[in-house]
Amino acid sequence: MILEKLVNIMQRFVDPLSFLLNFIAKVFLTIMMVLTGIDVAMRYFLGSPIEGSYEMIQYMMPVVVSFSLAACGLKEGHVQVELLTSMLSEKLQTVMKAVAYFVMCFIFGLIAWQTAVRGYGMQSVKQQTEVLYLPIFPFAYVVAFGCAALCLVALKKFIENLNLVVQS
């Protein structure tokens, strides 16, 4: 009962957050594609590429990757190898999923924390990109936020599977 309520509460917050971050990732991916196309066309036809386009694309990539992680985790779009686990009982499979999601939550929580610490270090020394002189720390914080969102998804999935184990 308590686990079901907790899952419902998390679902109201985690699912919309995941889909919002995924939408932002799609927008940035579209911008990257358009910028690359324009850059190539300008380089080919005018002999003059967009200055700093490589750097812009390079720093948009963390947004695309990290913001799409939570939606992928929510849809269970990650790689799963079920060669051995498919032979186990359904309850044991659910227990193993719960353990896997707990470990996933722990690992991505650590990644989010350490990436935020690294971002703070970049902010402290005012680290900038070489061509456009953009500060780098916001991109580290973006990765940390994306990993934290995936951590929340993994926590939700852990509680869901734990609830299934308790009910059976």
Side-chain angles (χ1 to χ4, degrees):
M1 214 42 196
I2 294 171
L3 291 175
E4 285 180 35
K5 288 181 182 179
L6 189 56
V7 167
N8 289 334
I9 290 169
M10 287 191 74
Q11 194 166 6
R12 280 187 242 133
F13 171 71
V14 172
D15 292 7
L17 176 66
S18 300
F19 292 124
L20 174 67
L21 292 178
N22 195 41
F23 177 77
I24 293 169
K26 289 175 184 178
V27 168
F28 271 81
L29 182 61
T30 303
I31 292 169
M32 287 171 57
M33 291 186 321
V34 169
L35 181 62
T36 301
I38 292 171
D39 185 50
V40 168
M42 286 181 66
R43 180 183 316 251
Y44 182 74
F45 293 116
L46 303 175
S48 175
I50 298 172
E51 188 174 339
S53 64
Y54 177 77
E55 201 170 80
M56 286 186 269
I57 291 167
Q58 177 183 358
Y59 286 102
M60 281 191 256
M61 187 60 76
V63 177
V64 172
V65 173
S66 63
F67 277 14
S68 61
L69 287 174
C72 181
L74 197 61
K75 294 177 183 178
E76 295 186 5
H78 49 276
V79 176
Q80 296 181 16
V81 180
E82 299 173 347
L83 185 65
L84 297 174
T85 57
S86 62
M87 293 184 268
L88 300 173
S89 70
E90 202 167 313
K91 185 173 183 175
L92 194 53
Q93 286 181 27
T94 307
V95 169
M96 290 184 73
K97 278 186 180 180
V99 169
Y101 280 118
F102 180 78
V103 170
M104 183 178 169
C105 179
F106 179 75
I107 288 171
F108 277 93
L110 285 176
I111 291 171
W113 168 49
Q114 285 300 306
T115 306
V117 168
R118 177 75 175 122
Y120 181 74
M122 291 174 178
Q123 186 177 2
S124 298
V125 296
K126 296 181 169 83
Q127 193 171 350
Q128 297 177 333
T129 61
E130 293 179 20
V131 176
L132 299 174
Y133 302 109
L134 297 171
I136 297 176
F137 73 89
F139 303 102
Y141 289 146
V142 161
V143 172
F145 189 75
C147 289
L150 180 58
C151 181
L152 287 174
V153 168
L155 180 62
K156 178 187 152 223
K157 294 283 189 178
F158 166 71
I159 295 169
E160 284 176 352
N161 284 288
L162 190 63
N163 185 36
L164 291 173
V165 169
V166 169
Q167 286 181 352
S168 61

